[in-house]
Amino acid sequence: MRRWKIALGTAVALGAISVASVHFLDMGNLSGGAAGAAPAPAAFVMPVPVVNVVKKTLPIYLDYAARVESIRSITLQARVPGYLQEQTAADGSDVKQGDLLYRIAPDDYQAALDQAKAQVQRDTATLEYAKSNLGRGTDLAKAGYLDKDSFDQRTSNLRTAQAALAVDQAAVRTAELNLGYAEIKAPFSGRIGRNQASVGTLVSVAGTVLNTLVQLDPIYVTFNPSETDLVQIEQAKANGPIAVDVLLPGETQPSQKGELTFIDNTIDHSTGTITARATIGNAKFTLLPGQYVRVRLHVKEQPNTLMVPQVALGSSQLGKYLYVIGKGNTVDQKLVSLGPTDGDLISVTSGISETDQVITGNLQKIGPGMPVSPLPQPKPAS
């Protein structure tokens, strides 16, 4: 029993010592913490890229879908009949005015020319004899040795010979033309299409189609402005020529430029549009007839226009908005009205001022009233 009491007393003493030690350590920690307390961490502020509003003169354009048309497009046909001897220009070739395209067998026409020239030589000799004969008759008539009827006969023979020679000379010119028509040449510069008559074909006059030839430079681009746009176009036209840009499919910047050269005199009552046409330089033959493109008409300049990057725009049920830096570097949301675009910039007609700093990044991570850290970016290209 005594041993049990001694053990129990020892356990109680050890427990008291442990409690006292823990209490002492806790007091030490509390006193140490009070002496070296760390400051609470600062709240995170979202960094955001910002740009200044751009003020510039904005060109105003009218955009339309358009179709390319050739100024001249013809069917190549023979002017004289004969067998097709040669095609000298390959299908799809770009040719210059006067280039030889086809040749018809010229033998018959060369023979006709030679015959006409021989007749000229024969009738020239007849005319020379008639002239000398009339000269002798004149001397004889003055001397009284030639009666008047014989003299008139010699005069008539001279005039007949002159007429015959004139007919022969006309026959020579006709034969030369026919021989020249045996060579079919390009009447203007352009591009020929696919051959439609094989070598050896017997071609007839204006009956056998040989090929087609289209002019590619310059070329027409035709489009249909609405009658509402026609007012702006006429106002711009009164101030001078209207420049036209042509954009090929997939292009964002125009590759071809020209000028508005035609507006029709009647509006189509079924569509409310009018036919207009621009003439475009096409030295590289980039545009081809039948091709669909887009055109932009430069109708005026709008000065002092406020522009912002399109990536800065947000959209809500209330409309389009921009986030700008407000007082104390907080986010301020401004509803805006928009105008035409110019590259990556878009014009703002109301809602912001020239001095605003527009937030262009981290737009999904911020909201009105949030504190932010502005990071100025290079000014957008104007």
Side-chain angles (χ1 to χ4, degrees), residues 89-90 92-101 185-192 213-214 285:
S93 297
D94 297 324
V95 298
K96 300 294 185 181
Q97 182 176 0
D99 284 356
L100 180 63
L101 307 180
K185 299 181 179 180
F188 52 83
S189 298
R191 178 176 293 175
I192 62 171
L213 174 66
V214 296
F285 297 166

Side-chain angles (χ1 to χ4, degrees), residues 167-318:
V167 171
D168 294 340
Q169 291 171 339
V172 169
R173 290 195 294 271
T174 300
E176 289 174 341
L177 287 173
N178 289 337
L179 181 60
Y181 293 152
E183 291 186 342
I184 300 171
K185 299 181 179 180
F188 52 83
S189 298
R191 178 176 293 175
I192 62 171
R194 185 177 59 184
N195 179 48
Q196 300 181 46
S198 301
V199 172
T201 300
L202 177 61
V203 298
S204 58
V205 178
T208 305
V209 175
L210 303 179
N211 211 318
T212 57
L213 174 66
V214 296
Q215 178 179 327
L216 297 180
D217 182 30
I219 203 164
Y220 287 148
V221 174
T222 302
F223 53 98
N224 299 97
S226 67
E227 55 185 324
T228 304
D229 292 345
L230 183 60
V231 177
Q232 296 186 60
I233 294 174
E234 291 291 356
Q235 291 174 349
K237 189 177 178 183
N239 296 326
I242 298 178
V244 177
D245 296 336
V246 179
L247 290 87
L248 297 174
E251 286 185 342
T252 57
Q253 295 297 323
S255 59
Q256 310 284 100
K257 296 180 181 293
E259 181 180 323
L260 180 67
T261 53
F262 170 77
I263 298 177
D264 207 351
N265 56 6
T266 305
I267 293 177
D268 186 340
H269 63 85
S270 62
T271 61
T273 61
I274 191 169
T275 300
R277 188 172 66 203
T279 302
I280 310 297
N282 191 33
K284 295 182 179 180
F285 297 166
T286 306
L287 303 175
L288 295 176
Q291 188 175 12
Y292 286 97
V293 295
R294 293 199 62 81
V295 295
R296 296 191 317 186
L297 275 64
H298 186 191
V299 292
K300 64 179 179 179
E301 299 282 342
Q302 182 174 304
N304 301 322
T305 304
L306 301 183
M307 310 287 293
V308 298
Q310 297 189 53
V311 295
L313 283 174
S315 183
S316 69
Q317 294 180 345
L318 299 178

